[in-house]
Each structure stands twice: as C-alpha cells, then as structure tokens.
C-alpha cells in the first residue's frame, strides 16, 4: 500500500489529505484560530459542580464551559491538585517529580464534590474538541504523546501496545524504558517502538520530559482558563502517528511549511527526509493530484460506487444512517443472493473509507441489502471488520441484527468533516427564482443605452444563450435590425451553449468583456 500526504497551506491554516494508492482516505483541516486541539493542556477554573451528573463544568476560555466527568479525573488527581497548588505558591521548585510525595488513588465510585470545589484551579487536557452546541470534553488524567512513547505523570506503570505480539520484544522494550524513565512517571510504549533502539526511545522520552518541564515552568504565571501547553500542529500529529515506510511522498505548496515538515521528519525518521517535496506547479496542489474532484464526489449525500450501486448518507445530531442501494446493477433471479453479497462488500469497503474521510463519530447505522444466507452475512461482517482495521479511531462493530442492520460506534473527538459539494445556481444565485424572461429584452436594451450612448463604445458584441440568439435574429425586421436603426451601428449577436437561459454578456471590439 502506497501512502501520500498532500498539504494545501493557506493564511487561515492547512488542509491535509491522506492518499492510499491514490485514493483519498482522510481529510483534516488545521485552522490557525483553533485553540482547542485534542491534547492541549489548560489551567481550568471550576465554575459549577453538578452532583447529579457526578461532573463539573470548567472555564477554559471557551464560550461554553467545558465538561469534566468524575471518571475522567484520573486516579492521581489529588497529586495533580497538590502539585498545582505547591508550584503556584512557590513551595515546589523541582521540574520533575523526584522529591514529590504522591497522594493515594481516588475511589473509582466516589463523588466529584469530594474532590473538587467551586473556583478551584486544576490543569485539564482537551479530550474532545467543541462539537455542535457542546463545549470541550476534558480530562485531568494528563499525558504527553511522542512518536514512540507517551509520558504519564504520577504513575509508575509501563504499558505496551497490544499490537506488539512478540514476548521477547515486549520484554526488551520494558527493560529499556525502565532504565531511562524518571521517577513517578509512567510510560505507554506505542506500536511504532517495535524494533527501535535505546537511543531513539531515549531521545523521544527526553523530548517529552522537556515538554513536562515547560508545563511546570509556565504553571506559576499562567492565568486561569489559559493554555499552559499546546499539542503540536495537526500536520505534525498525523506524521507522528502514522509515518511509516509505506509513505512515498509528502507534498506541500508552502515554503515555510515545507521546511517545518522536513525538519520534523528529519527529527523523527531521518532516513525519510527526502520524501518531503515542495509543489511548484502553477496549478493548485489539490487539483494537480486530483483531490478536489475526489472531495466533490465523496462528500455529497449520495456516494456512487464503481459497480453502479450507491450509498445514501444521512446525518442527525445523535447518529448517522447509511443506506446501501444496488442502483442500476442487475442480476438474474438465480443470482440475486450473490449479487446482493457483492454489492454489500463493495459498499462495506466504501463505508469504511467514508467513516475515516468524514471523521463520522457516535452511532452509525448501516442498512445493507438483505441477504438470506447466514454464511454471507457472517462473511460481510468479517469483511467490514477487516476494512475498518485501518481506522485509527476507536470503534466497535456489532454483528447484523435480525433486521439486517449493522451498528458501529466510533470515537468522536473532533467535529465531523463537512464539505458542501453543491454549488449556487448562477442564474438564480440560490434564491430558486429568476427574473421574468419577458423583461430580458428590456434589461439588454437598458444596458445598450449605457454602453453605446454614455460610454460611446463601438463594435460591441452581445453574447447570449442559443435560444435567445434565435429569438433576436428571427424574421427580416428583427430585434437586431431595430437596434441598428435605433443606435446607428450594427450590434453583433453570438450564442454560447454554456450560458443560462437569461444570462448575457457584452464584449468590446477587442473581445474584452465589458463589466457592468
């Protein structure tokens, strides 16, 4: 599988497209003004305790208060609160946790009112960005992610990714991390750490420790509800999480972005630095790589499949519904079951892509075409699970219900990617109505009065729809002849089949459009 990353940079941010074998599978937007990215750490102020929800509303500077549930406090929240108080009062000088005494873990079934009080300050991390009418979702179980490891303060545990299967490798990684991790810090070893040496792991861990030290340095002076430590940009985050030898090219159209990405790739994977390229063509980068066309084809309500079938995707606040239709694909009665199975497989592959592409989260209900053989239903379910394995978001897929519906729950941490693919009608400008056609000639003649009389233009050409041209030139004593008598000069009339029925334009003798 060949992967490419295409980055379209603009003053407002960047749009990042991930291609697999030239097909668009992920689309991300990184906005300059987005201050609430997953992973950012803020110094929150408790605004309201809600005992009935066992949660608190926290002020992090967003227009809506953020939500912090008791289960998201983390077992060592008492240690975090104690450290925050000591650091802000000047009672704790060290930047690490060597001389810090940890508090006992909180009770999993406890009450938030026993831990937090109104107006209390607490460092919190964005777990879910603001979505729809809701503010950010928070966690006070802080962690700082790197390329190979994740640093977890107030813990001694070392966790290893379940995707690393070799017991020998798991033991090696545990021993390496145990020898280099600081006291009172836990570490999560990521899948990409497999086969990496001590130097690479140590460098990554030292970078994370440096970020923690930045956090401790800023904590005494930062104002409540302000950001203390920011996550790296969306582009770097994607590279950090998914960069592997399958990547063939990374293209960007901005010089500073090019240097930034090349520097970051050199830092995390020096042997892949040469895959970063600067797009120098005059053609827009997304048009050059065919991404714009793929976006237009993939983000509408109806998504067509190669075999003639299509998907209808409906969105609501609570869930997403996807209906699979066979379309113009036909089959004999004897082959109806096989035809349904093939259409469903083709749809399952596209649905797995659509979930990643649109970043659809929450509950997704899929209505596949009915199949009568249990074996076919099982194979479709297994095929869908196999296609979904490439999805980095946490998800759960339930087997088909007795109604033939498949339900998926998918982690939602950012607003869904929603791109409007329909265009405004050039004739009515989106109003659904146009000027009366009976007044069209009056409009044209009013413009003649301005162009020929006031502007004193000579040798102009009127360009209209072919139907209107035929109407103007019909008969011997036609409209064109009347204009010649009225204005004292011959006005050329040409047709353009691409024009709307009431669209018209004027051109000078030099064939330049006359702007009105």
């Amino acid at each position: 599988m060949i992967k490419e990353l295409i980055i379209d940079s603009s003053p407002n941010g960047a749009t990042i497209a991930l291609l697999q074998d030239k097909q668009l599978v992920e689309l991300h937007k990184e906005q300059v003004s987005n201050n609430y990215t997953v992973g950012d750490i803020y110094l929150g102020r408790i605004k309201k305790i809600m005992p009935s929800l066992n949660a608190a509303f926290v002020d992090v500077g967003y227009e809506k208060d953020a939500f912090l549930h008791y289960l998201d406090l983390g077992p060592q929240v008492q240690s975090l609160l104690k450290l925050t108080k000591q650091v802000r009062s000047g009672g704790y000088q060290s930047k690490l946790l060597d001389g810090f005494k940890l508090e006992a873990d909180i009770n999993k079934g406890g009450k938030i009112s026993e831990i937090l009080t109104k107006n209390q300050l607490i460092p919190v991390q964005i777990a879910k960005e603001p979505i729809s009418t809701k503010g950010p979702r928070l966690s006070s179980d802080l962690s700082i992610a790197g390329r190979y490891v994740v640093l977890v303060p107030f813990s001694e545990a070392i966790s290893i990714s379940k995707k690393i299967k070799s017991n020998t490798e798991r033991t090696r990684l545990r021993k390496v991390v145990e020898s280099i991790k600081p006291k009172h810090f836990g570490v999560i070893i990521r899948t990409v750490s497999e086969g990496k040496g001590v130097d690479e792991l140590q460098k990554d861990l030292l970078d994370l420790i440096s970020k923690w030290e930045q956090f401790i340095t800023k904590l005494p002076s930062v104002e409540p509800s302000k950001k203390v430590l920011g996550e790296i940009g969306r582009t770097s985050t994607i590279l950090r999480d998914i960069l592997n030898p399958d990547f063939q090219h990374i293209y960007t159209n901005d010089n500073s972005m090019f240097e930034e990405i090349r520097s970051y790739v050199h830092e995390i994977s020096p042997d892949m630095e040469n895959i970063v390229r600067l797009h120098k063509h005059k053609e827009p980068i997304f048009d050059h790589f065919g991404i714009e066309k793929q976006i237009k084809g993939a983000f509408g309500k109806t998504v067509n499949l190669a075999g003639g079938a299509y998907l209808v995707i409906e969105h609501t606040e609570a869930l997403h519904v996807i209906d699979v239709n066979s379309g113009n694909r036909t089959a004999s009665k004897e082959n109806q079951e096989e035809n349904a199975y093939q259409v469903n497989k083709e749809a399952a592959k596209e649905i797995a892509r659509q979930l990643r592409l649109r970043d659809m989260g929450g509950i997704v209900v899929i209505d596949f075409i009915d199949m009568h053989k249990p074996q076919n239903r099982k194979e479709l379910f297994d095929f869908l699970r196999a296609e979904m394995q490439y999805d980095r978001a946490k998800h759960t897929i339930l087997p088909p219900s007795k109604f033939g519906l498949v339900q998926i729950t998918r982690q939602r941490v950012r607003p869904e990617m929603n791109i409007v693919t329909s265009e405004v009608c050039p004739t009515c400008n989106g109003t659904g109505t146009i000027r009366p056609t009976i007044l069209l000639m009056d409009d044209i003649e009013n413009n003649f009065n301005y162009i020929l009389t006031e502007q004193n233009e000579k040798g102009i050409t009127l360009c209209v729809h072919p139907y209107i041209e035929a109407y103007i030139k019909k008969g011997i004593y036609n409209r064109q002849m009347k204009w010649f008598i009225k204005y004292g000069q011959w006005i050329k009339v040409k047709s353009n089949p691409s024009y709307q029925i009431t669209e018209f334009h004027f051109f000078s003798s030099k064939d330049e459009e006359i702007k009105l």
Side-chain angles (χ1 to χ4, degrees), residues 394-437:
K394 294 177 184 176
H395 59 271
T396 304
I397 308 173
L398 297 181
S401 69
K402 62 181 180 181
F403 297 115
L405 303 176
V406 173
Q407 298 174 64
I408 300 175
T409 59
R410 187 175 183 274
Q411 182 186 30
R412 176 163 61 175
V413 297
R414 295 185 181 90
E416 179 188 339
M417 178 66 67
N418 185 24
I419 294 176
V420 178
T421 56
S422 56
E423 298 176 357
V424 175
C425 170
T427 305
C428 70
N429 290 320
T431 62
T433 59
I434 61 173
R435 276 181 59 77
T437 51

Side-chain angles (χ1 to χ4, degrees), residues 324-335:
V324 180
N325 295 277
S326 58
N328 58 14
R329 184 164 175 159
T330 56
S332 62
K333 289 183 180 180
E334 293 78 13
N335 205 22

Side-chain angles (χ1 to χ4, degrees), residues 128-150:
K128 188 183 287 187
E129 292 178 12
I131 296 172
S132 186
T133 58
K134 301 172 185 175
R137 178 79 181 253
L138 304 176
S139 169
S140 57
D141 193 7
L142 306 183
S143 62
I144 305 174
R147 169 111 171 115
Y148 301 117
V149 295
V150 179

